Amino acid sequence: MRILLLGGTTEARRLAGLVAGEHTVITSLAGRTTDPLRPAGELRIGGFGGVDGLAGYLRDADVDVVVDATHPFAATMSGHAVLACAAVGVPLLVVRRPGWTAGPGDEWHRVASLDAAAALLPRLGRRVFLTTGRQGIAAFAGLDECWFLARSVEPPTGVTPRNLEVLLDRGPFTVDGERELITRHRVGVLVTKDSGGPAAKLVAARELGVPVLVVDRPPAPAAPLVSTADAAVTWLRTLGR
């Protein structure tokens, strides 16, 4: 079976490692990171050229199934996958880790978008730990009254806030490390997307009494959905029966 794996997440890399010995796995990455973690199997980097381009690729590469294990906020790519797979009659599976849920001691403020987060932010704090990824930084560019510590794998490009310090780093992170970072920079509010998965920063924020501004993820695509790489393997095995 030839599998096109739309990747970029921990779940995608784990899934590639689980099935690469049994099937042909082609992991596709958007190419936004210059030094990505390489998965098992074949690797493809770059866009497809929209829905039609992806549909053409599925036909030309004789893809049997597509697994969308992109970031929960990669809504455009996920939407293209739904339409392209429907156009060529290729099965599609979506892998999405569960989102986060606030617990006792958390002070969370949920919003629907980065713009909504920027509008609410000054009322919650002026020293901000921004963990929305480099592409989300521009939404906060007009908040001159705030100071930002932005963490990302790659340096931000385009418009950025006036008072910005950039920390280039790649997880996983520890609670002790996040607690020290928040304390050292006197962070008053944490801004993040509801990506799911391990979240040491949320634990540290809870322990330090720091409010968290959480951007809700977009709806999942209209396709079969599982939450783990192991569940994806089980689903893929049903196609061969």
Side-chain angles (χ1 to χ4, degrees):
M1 187 159 56
R2 290 178 62 81
I3 302 169
L4 176 63
L5 177 55
L6 306 177
T9 60
T10 301
E11 289 76 18
R13 290 189 296 274
R14 173 166 169 73
L15 178 58
L18 289 172
V19 301
E22 183 178 355
H23 304 287
T24 298
V25 180
I26 307 164
T27 296
S28 177
L29 302 179
R32 297 192 180 99
T33 302
T34 56
D35 186 24
L37 298 175
R38 188 178 181 92
E42 300 178 23
L43 181 62
R44 179 192 181 280
I45 296 179
F48 292 95
V51 175
D52 292 341
L54 177 55
Y57 178 86
L58 297 180
R59 286 191 290 262
D60 294 343
D62 293 323
V63 171
D64 296 304
V65 59
V66 176
V67 179
D68 174 8
T70 56
H71 192 278
F73 283 81
T76 299
M77 185 69 252
S78 293
H80 289 177
V82 170
L83 296 175
C85 287
V88 300
V90 170
L92 171 66
L93 175 69
V94 177
V95 182
R96 288 289 184 275
R97 70 186 75 155
W100 293 319
T101 302
D106 286 321
E107 182 188 340
W108 286 12
H109 304 264
R110 286 191 172 271
V111 292
S113 67
L114 288 169
D115 289 340
L120 178 59
L121 183 55
R123 284 179 270 167
L124 298 178
R126 300 299 175 94
R127 293 188 64 84
V128 185
F129 185 18
L130 192 59
T131 63
T132 57
R134 63 172 178 161
Q135 291 184 306
I137 294 175
F140 303 88
L143 299 180
D144 292 342
E145 69 271 37
C146 293
W147 175 88
F148 293 91
L149 173 67
R151 183 169 65 197
S152 59
V153 176
E154 301 275 342
T157 57
V159 180
T160 58
R162 177 181 300 175
N163 303 309
L164 173 68
E165 180 176 334
V166 177
L167 174 62
L168 299 181
D169 204 356
R170 192 201 301 264
F173 303 104
T174 66
V175 174
D176 287 344
E178 300 290 67
R179 188 190 305 111
E180 190 277 332
L181 188 69
I182 291 172
T183 301
R184 172 160 46 92
H185 290 281
R186 296 181 287 114
V187 168
V189 57
L190 167 66
V191 182
T192 190
K193 292 179 178 179
D194 186 5
S195 302
K201 59 190 174 185
L202 298 179
V203 177
R206 178 193 309 135
E207 292 178 354
L208 295 171
V210 172
V212 182
L213 191 49
V214 181
V215 180
D216 286 330
R217 60 175 61 179
L225 177 70
V226 296
S227 60
T228 66
D230 294 281
V233 171
T234 300
W235 186 90
L236 288 168
R237 285 174 179 159
T238 67
L239 297 182
R241 293 178 181 173

